[in-house]
């Protein structure tokens, strides 16, 4: 039987079902204002009609009140109705998420392109099974869960989404109705900011309930169907974790929290093993194994529930015991339930006693101050680290001096809070490794890394903390365009340093390097950031190979294209042999965790797609994706013109005032969605350098302008057109899947834009010209992207994805309208000689509350 097209499957199983369940939801009697569920569709219809007539949000809200709300209603009652609309729409988004999650395995072909089954069949067909096995013996993926503030769903709402999806999958109408009623009464807004530990607990839920099962299912399939039960000495899937270890800009991450999170990770994985052992014990009721399983069950119970360490086997002993039980079952009990034992053994291989690898991260600027404090304090203690005047020495002299340091320091030596905390965090890594195993915490990341000195100072701090030969990988994070351009020289200096080279040798001659898309885009614009990262990867691969080092790239990505998101699978599949590809590591955060990895099916599918992107690039590509000199020249020109265009835009005198006064930027801090402050500095002055990438990109998304995902692209392409070089762009598009992926992701940003929402701004005396500049670049980018792709409309090759975006945008159009209405009211109030603070607070609350549904509907907007 032929399979229906993906768009048709989406319309039948998502769009139609959403309409049915939404109609039920809208009639539920749980609000204090009568007929809210009846009025909201009418308001939505008014929004669509009036934007088509170029009306502004204020006119639209007033028109709705005039037509559908009784004239005797007070202003306060009207405001309450708008707040009730906000609450309804937030929950409509949840319902749509649940419907889409339930339909995931139907809409997406779980055995189609990019899945393991497809990979195996293609390898067999092309007689490349041996090459596939060889590659899988060394290739890994590592999704790293981060708690950056983009997830607006509190834990209880995530639970409702999960339960709703299950009920929808079964068409269980009674349960669906109850869950929708529960949803209507469950608050979304968090009155207090979460602690880093709260964030960790929220994300550990995904590890425990989703990744634990999905990752092991993938590993089992690979071992059974590709390796045919041959021993596989490679985890293939590692999990990384940042909450509790990421100190960059987060003063609330303490050593106590780092240790507490590591303990929670260990306890959770042992709890999962305990559950699996109990399930095995119900099946392996045979002589010779029953009592052995009972001992393991008691051991895990004592550790998880009673917190007793006595009798706890080491990880190696635990795995050995499971293998020994397996052997008895094979030799004496006809291999009954052997697959279930193999499943647990594989889980132990994957997750150890650590579950996920906890990274520690801090900013190089913090390290600089810390190191100077260390030098000064040790000098005052009569134990000088150096003979030279460290503060005033050259970088070369400092690096040379750092190689000779052999002293030992303790955190208690330092009264300075940040120095004490930094040293404590290193000692915490040692504690975690001792309890959870080396994989528990073995990477120290230096954000804002600009020099070899930054790496050497961090490396030296490890050695100073009674760790002469640290079992830790020191990873620089290069983010801005200038830092990416300097990266190869930084690494060359390090590779030539005898002490650091000896450390790398002990670590298997592997160097982890993190590259940040978010700040790169914020700094240099969409094309230049992506091209700079690609070039940096090529240069870092070349210099690493020159010194016999295997470089492992770790991409700091957000959800949207503006932060390196979009279709990441296609991005990795587009890299050629000039970029090292032994591992794929990337950050996953916010809504991207819940949307891509929130269910067993979506998690398995997206993990397999990541695996496939590396495999297809290495095994199945008939021709490698290297750029020809001509294509490279074209790409260089496009990136350069785009960069100049974006920088000029960023330097426009209205750029910061526009974000500060016309967007939702300053309201992000009031949402209480993340433990980290929304800007780097506590200064009241509004500075571009203080802006974090998430609220920066998110604010453009709330405006439905999505500037970071396209600005400069249209001008760059038009530059080539005007100079008679557009054929070179078309050749680049045909030849380079990397370039095609960039443009497709940019089209996603354009598709999610809606300039009619803010077109009133063009009449603003102060900001009208600036708004027009943005709109013209949007139109230019749209025109040029359609020309180079040959499409008639944006995202023409992704009809189901486009349908999902349009459905979500339709749901939140009334919410966006309310948000803009409130922003305009705030601007009016602030112009009055005497500001009505009470009224101002109401509309500011309205803006803040409207952030939630808008972000959740986009799923990858920040």
């Amino acid at each position: 039987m032929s399979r229906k097209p993906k768009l048709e499957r989406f319309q039948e199983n998502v769009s139609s079902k959403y309409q049915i369940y939404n109609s039920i939801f809208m009639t539920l009697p749980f609000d204090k204002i009568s007929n809210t569920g009846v009025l909201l569709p009418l308001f939505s219809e008014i929004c669509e009609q009036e934007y088509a007539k170029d009306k502004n949000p204020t006119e639209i809200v007033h028109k709705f009140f005039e037509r559908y709300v009784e004239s005797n209603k007070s202003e306060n009652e009207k405001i309450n109705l708008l707040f009730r609309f906000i609450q309804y729409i937030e929950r409509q988004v949840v319902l749509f998420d649940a419907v889409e999650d339930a339909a995931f395995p139907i809409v997406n072909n779980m055995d189609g392109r990019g899945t393991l089954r497809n990979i195996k069949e293609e390898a067999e067909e092309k007689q490349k099974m041996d090459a596939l096995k060889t590659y899988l013996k060394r290739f890994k993926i590592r999704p790293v869960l981060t708690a950056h503030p983009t997830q607006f769903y509190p834990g209880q709402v995530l639970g409702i989404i999960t339960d709703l999806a299950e009920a929808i999958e079964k068409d269980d109408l009674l349960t669906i109705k109850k869950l929708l009623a529960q949803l209507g009464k469950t608050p979304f807004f968090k009155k207090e900011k979460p602690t880093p530990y709260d964030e960790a607990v929220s994300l550990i839920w995904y590890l425990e309930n989703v990744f634990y099962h999905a990752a092991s299912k993938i590993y089992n399939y690979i071992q059974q169907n590709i390796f045919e039960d041959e021993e596989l000495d490679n985890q293939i899937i590692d999990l990384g974790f940042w909450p509790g270890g990421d100190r960059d800009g987060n003063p609330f991450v303490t050593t106590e929290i780092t240790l507490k999170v590591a303990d929670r990770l260990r306890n959770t994985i042992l709890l999962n093993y305990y559950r699996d052992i109990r399930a095995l014990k119900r099946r392996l009721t045979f002589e010779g194994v029953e009592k052995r399983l009972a001992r393991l069950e008691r051991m895990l119970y004592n550790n998880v529930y009673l917190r007793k360490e006595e009798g706890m086997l080491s990880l190696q002993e635990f795995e050995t015991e499971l293998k020994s039980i397996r052997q008895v079952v094979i030799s004496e009990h006809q291999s009954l339930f052997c697959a279930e034992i193999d499943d647990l053994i594989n889980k132990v291989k994957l997750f150890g006693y650590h579950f996920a690898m906890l990274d520690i991260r801090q900013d190089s600027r913090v390290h600089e101050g810390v190191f100077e404090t260390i030098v000064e304090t040790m000098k005052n203690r009569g134990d000088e680290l150096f003979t030279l005047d460290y503060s005033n020495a050259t970088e070369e002299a400092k690096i040379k001096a750092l190689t000779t340091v052999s002293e030992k320091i303790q955190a208690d030596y330092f009264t300075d809070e940040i120095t004490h905390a930094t040293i404590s965090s290193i000692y915490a890594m040692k504690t975690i490794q001792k309890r959870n195993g080396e994989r528990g915490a073995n990477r120290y990341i230096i954000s804002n890394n600009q020099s070899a000195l930054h790496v050497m100072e961090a490396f030296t701090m490890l050695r100073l903390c009674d760790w002469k030969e640290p079992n830790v990988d020191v990873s620089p994070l290069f983010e801005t365009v200038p830092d990416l351009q300097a990266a190869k020289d930084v690494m060359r200096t390090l590779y030539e340093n005898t002490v650091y080279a000896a450390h790398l040798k002990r670590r298997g001659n592997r160097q982890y390097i993190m590259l940040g898309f978010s700040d790169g885009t914020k700094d240099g614009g969409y094309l230049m950031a992506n091209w700079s990262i690609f070039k940096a990867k090529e240069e870092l691969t070349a210099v690493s190979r020159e010194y016999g080092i295997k470089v492992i790239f770790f991409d700091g990505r957000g959800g949207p294209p503006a932060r390196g998101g979009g279709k990441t699978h296609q991005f990795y599949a587009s890299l050629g042999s000039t970029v090292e590809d032994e591992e794929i590591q990337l950050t996953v955060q916010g809504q991207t965790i819940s949307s891509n990895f929130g269910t067993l099916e979506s998690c398995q599918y997206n993990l397999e797609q990541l695996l496939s992107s590396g495999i297809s690039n290495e095994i199945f590509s008939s021709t490698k994706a290297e750029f020809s000199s001509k294509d490279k020249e074209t790409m260089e020109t496009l990136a350069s013109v785009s960069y100049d265009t974006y920088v000029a835009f960023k330097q426009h005198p209205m750029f910061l005032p526009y974000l500060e006064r016309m967007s939702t930027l300053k309201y992000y801090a009031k949402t209480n969605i993340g433990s980290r402050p929304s800007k780097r500095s506590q200064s009241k002055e509004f500075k571009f350098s203080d802006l974090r990438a998430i609220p920066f990109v998110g604010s453009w998304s709330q405006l439905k302008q999505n500037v970071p995902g396209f600005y400069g692209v249209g001008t760059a392409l038009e530059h080539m057109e005007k100079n008679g070089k557009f054929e070179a762009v078309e050749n680049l598009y045909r030849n380079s899947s990397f370039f095609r992926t960039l443009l497709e992701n940019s089209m996603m940003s354009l598709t999610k834009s809606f300039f009619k929402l803010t077109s009133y701004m063009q009449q603003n005396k102060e900001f009208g010209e600036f708004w027009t500049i943005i709109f013209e670049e949007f139109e230019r980018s749209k025109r040029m992207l359609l020309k180079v792709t040959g499409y008639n409309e944006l995202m023409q090759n992704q009809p189901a994805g486009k349908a999902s975006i349009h459905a979500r945008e339709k749901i939140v159009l009334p919410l966006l309208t309310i948000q803009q209405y409130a922003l305009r009211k705030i601007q009016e109030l602030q112009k009055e000689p005497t500001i009505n603070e009470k009224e101002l607070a109401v509309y500011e609350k309205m803006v803040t509350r409207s952030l939630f549904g808008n972000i959740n509907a986009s799923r990858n907007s920040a």
Side-chain angles (χ1 to χ4, degrees), residues 565-785:
K567 292 199 167 291
T568 53
H569 309 147
Q570 290 181 7
F571 175 86
Y572 287 114
S574 72
L575 303 179
S577 62
T578 56
V579 173
E580 201 69 74
D581 62 349
E582 190 151 303
E583 289 191 30
I584 290 176
Q585 299 192 10
L586 71 164
T587 53
V588 188
Q589 59 202 47
Q591 313 96 306
T592 314
I593 297 173
S594 54
S595 62
N596 287 5
F597 302 97
T599 67
L600 288 173
E601 290 85 0
S602 63
C603 185
Q604 181 181 340
Y605 181 83
N606 283 297
L607 287 176
E608 288 189 21
Q609 291 291 317
L610 264 185
L611 277 167
S612 168
S613 64
I615 292 166
S616 61
N617 184 35
E618 178 75 17
I619 307 297
F620 300 134
S621 294
S622 54
T623 56
K624 287 295 182 180
E626 286 89 3
F627 283 88
S628 67
S629 57
K630 187 66 178 173
D631 283 345
K632 209 162 210 175
E633 184 184 324
T634 303
M635 191 70 224
E636 196 70 54
T637 303
L638 288 169
S640 179
V641 173
S642 174
Y643 177 74
D644 291 342
T645 306
Y646 178 79
V647 169
F649 172 68
K650 198 171 63 172
Q651 291 172 348
H652 193 287
M654 287 296 105
F655 183 85
L656 285 177
Y658 183 81
L659 275 175
E660 186 176 20
R661 289 158 51 196
M662 305 301 280
S663 84
T664 58
L665 184 65
K666 64 184 179 184
Y667 297 94
Y668 267 75
K670 300 178 182 180
T671 56
N672 292 332
I673 53 166
S675 68
R676 196 166 72 161
S678 60
K679 63 189 187 86
R680 290 188 170 90
S681 165
Q682 299 307 306
S683 167
K684 291 185 178 179
E685 186 184 353
F686 196 71
K687 296 179 183 175
F688 183 77
S689 58
D690 287 341
L691 294 181
R692 293 197 183 282
I694 290 168
F696 173 74
V697 173
S699 296
W700 289 112
S701 173
Q702 294 279 326
L703 284 168
K704 287 295 154 188
Q705 292 175 1
N706 289 320
V707 161
F710 71 82
Y711 202 92
V713 175
T715 298
L717 292 170
E718 190 179 68
H719 168 84
M720 300 297 281
E721 180 188 51
K722 286 179 177 178
N723 286 277
K725 296 180 180 178
F726 199 72
E727 188 180 347
V729 176
E730 291 173 322
N731 287 334
L732 174 63
Y733 182 76
R734 277 194 298 271
N735 298 338
S736 170
S737 54
F738 170 80
F739 185 58
R740 288 196 298 275
T741 301
L742 283 188
L743 297 195
E744 286 179 12
N745 283 338
S746 189
M747 278 194 278
M748 186 190 294
S749 293
L750 293 171
T751 303
K752 290 185 176 183
S753 298
F754 181 61
F755 276 81
K756 284 184 178 290
L757 179 73
T758 56
S759 60
Y760 69 87
M761 293 182 186
Q762 64 189 314
Q763 307 303 327
N764 187 293
K765 289 181 182 178
E766 194 173 1
F767 296 109
E769 180 194 343
F770 188 74
W771 182 92
T772 303
I773 289 171
I774 300 170
F775 179 63
E776 287 175 349
E777 182 63 13
F778 166 81
E779 289 288 308
R780 187 181 297 115
S781 297
K782 182 179 176 181
R783 180 180 75 83
M784 297 309 304
L785 282 170

Side-chain angles (χ1 to χ4, degrees), residues 129-169:
M129 281 298 288
D130 288 341
L132 176 60
K133 285 182 182 180
T134 301
Y135 188 60
L136 285 173
K137 285 177 182 177
R138 58 185 173 85
F139 177 62
K140 285 186 183 182
I141 60 170
R142 189 193 302 188
V144 180
L145 305 191
T146 78
H148 289 337
T150 64
Q151 177 55 269
F152 282 68
Y153 287 144
Q156 60 267 34
V157 175
L158 287 170
I160 294 171
I161 293 175
T162 302
D163 295 341
L164 252 181
E166 288 178 5
I168 289 167
E169 204 171 345

Side-chain angles (χ1 to χ4, degrees), residues 22 24 105 118 133 155 160 216 230 240 321 347 353 437 442-443 463 481 601 615 641 651 734 743:
N22 185 49
I24 296 170
N118 177 260
K133 285 182 182 180
I160 294 171
S216 64
E230 173 191 335
E321 177 66 358
K347 285 171 178 171
Y353 282 165
N442 65 358
R443 180 161 63 188
R463 290 161 54 225
V481 172
E601 290 85 0
I615 292 166
V641 173
Q651 291 172 348
R734 277 194 298 271
L743 297 195

Side-chain angles (χ1 to χ4, degrees), residues 209-221:
N209 294 287
V210 183
F211 282 93
Y212 180 74
H213 303 286
S216 64
K217 191 173 180 181
I218 290 170
Y219 191 87
N220 292 342
Y221 182 91

Side-chain angles (χ1 to χ4, degrees), residues 525-584:
Y526 178 71
L527 276 186
M528 178 57 90
N530 280 277
W531 181 234
S532 295
I533 287 172
F534 182 85
K535 286 196 300 179
K537 283 186 173 181
E538 282 197 322
E539 291 168 347
L540 289 166
T541 297
V543 73
S544 299
R545 287 173 177 172
E546 184 184 334
Y547 288 89
I549 305 297
K550 181 72 72 175
V551 63
I552 309 295
F553 294 116
F554 173 27
D555 290 326
R557 294 177 174 276
R563 296 185 53 238
K567 292 199 167 291
T568 53
H569 309 147
Q570 290 181 7
F571 175 86
Y572 287 114
S574 72
L575 303 179
S577 62
T578 56
V579 173
E580 201 69 74
D581 62 349
E582 190 151 303
E583 289 191 30
I584 290 176

Side-chain angles (χ1 to χ4, degrees), residues 449-493:
N449 198 99
Q450 297 175 333
S451 67
L453 178 62
H454 287 155
V455 177
M456 286 302 295
E457 284 183 337
F459 175 55
T460 302
M461 281 193 284
L462 292 170
R463 290 161 54 225
L464 284 168
C465 293
D466 196 23
W467 218 340
K468 286 186 170 55
E469 295 184 353
N471 295 325
V472 174
D473 299 303
V474 184
S475 174
L477 165 52
F478 301 107
E479 298 178 84
T480 66
V481 172
D483 291 348
L484 289 164
Q485 290 169 344
K488 67 177 182 302
D489 294 327
V490 169
M491 297 316 299
R492 185 180 293 279
T493 301

